[in-house]
């Protein structure tokens, strides 16, 4: 009987050791998951900060373009020539991302940059049209003044 209880205790010790090893392995896996989740949260926070910075630069440049359009209108009313500044604050290439979220964000940034450039070109075209109209109006006024004299 003593011999049997020794075998039973030995088997229980082996089972206990296997269970302990499984528990340690499971704990290590959970630690890896928690570490990966923490790293993911850091990447998300960085991406959020970069997106906010991109948005701020984009809207700042858009506001400056709108101001130029307003100044062009005022110059037209006052009969002055207006030369728009070449403003480039927003540069999506300046923002680097290193994972698949970054690829998506870069694609969206490129799309926003294209839309921005199109909008910018439309505004510049409107400014050019306004300048041409102003020039022709001034010519007409000059001819009218000559006829009235």
């Amino acid at each position: 009987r003593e011999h049997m209880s020794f075998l039973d205790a030995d088997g229980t010790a082996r089972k206990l050791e296997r269970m302990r090893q499984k528990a340690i392995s499971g704990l290590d896996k959970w630690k890896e998951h928690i570490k990966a989740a923490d790293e993911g949260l850091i990447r998300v926070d960085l991406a959020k900060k970069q997106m906010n910075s991109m948005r701020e630069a984009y809207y700042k440049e858009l506001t400056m373009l709108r101001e130029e359009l307003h100044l062009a209108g005022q110059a037209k009313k006052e009969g002055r020539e207006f030369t728009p500044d070449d403003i480039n604050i927003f540069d999506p290439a300046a923002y680097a991302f290193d994972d698949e979220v970054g690829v998506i964000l870069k694609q969206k940034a490129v799309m926003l940059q294209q839309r921005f450039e199109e909008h910018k070109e439309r505004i510049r075209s409107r400014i050019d049209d306004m300048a041409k109209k102003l020039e022709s109006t001034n010519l007409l006024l000059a001819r009218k003044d000559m006829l009235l004299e």
Side-chain angles (χ1 to χ4, degrees):
R1 238 175 187 230
E2 284 180 26
H3 185 47
M4 292 290 271
S5 89
F6 174 72
L7 287 176
D8 189 44
D10 188 42
T12 304
R14 281 193 305 250
K15 287 180 185 177
L16 181 62
E17 181 61 25
R18 275 186 262 147
M19 288 174 55
R20 190 176 75 73
Q21 290 298 328
K22 281 184 182 180
I24 289 173
S25 175
L27 182 62
D28 289 342
K29 286 181 183 178
W30 273 107
K31 285 180 181 178
E32 288 176 21
H33 290 302
I34 289 171
K35 183 180 176 185
D38 288 343
E39 290 171 356
L41 290 173
I42 290 169
R43 284 194 308 269
V44 166
D45 189 49
L46 177 63
K48 190 185 306 183
K49 287 177 183 174
Q50 287 180 327
M51 286 299 293
N52 286 338
S53 175
M54 290 172 74
R55 186 180 306 112
E56 182 180 326
Y58 174 77
Y59 283 119
K60 186 181 288 184
E61 189 166 342
L62 190 59
T63 300
M64 292 176 87
L65 287 170
R66 287 180 178 154
E67 179 65 22
E68 278 193 351
L69 186 59
H70 174 72
L71 292 174
Q74 280 184 332
K76 177 185 173 186
K77 287 178 185 176
E78 296 170 2
R80 293 182 289 116
E81 185 175 323
F82 179 77
T83 305
D85 296 328
D86 187 23
I87 301 169
N88 287 311
I89 297 172
F90 177 67
D91 181 14
Y95 301 94
F97 297 95
D98 60 349
D99 55 2
E100 59 200 49
V101 173
V103 171
I104 294 169
L105 290 176
K106 280 189 175 190
Q107 289 172 348
K108 288 189 178 202
V110 167
M111 181 187 67
L112 282 173
Q113 181 69 28
Q114 289 171 345
R115 286 178 37 200
F116 173 75
E117 293 297 330
E118 290 168 3
H119 185 72
K120 183 177 174 180
E121 187 57 38
R122 281 194 306 268
I123 288 173
R124 294 217 186 264
S125 177
R126 285 178 60 190
I127 290 171
D128 290 344
D129 288 346
M130 292 167 84
K132 288 176 185 175
K133 288 178 183 177
L134 178 62
E135 186 179 329
S136 65
T137 302
N138 286 338
L139 284 172
L140 286 173
L141 285 173
R143 286 183 185 167
K144 182 179 175 183
D145 287 343
M146 286 174 51
L147 288 174
L148 291 175
E149 291 179 359

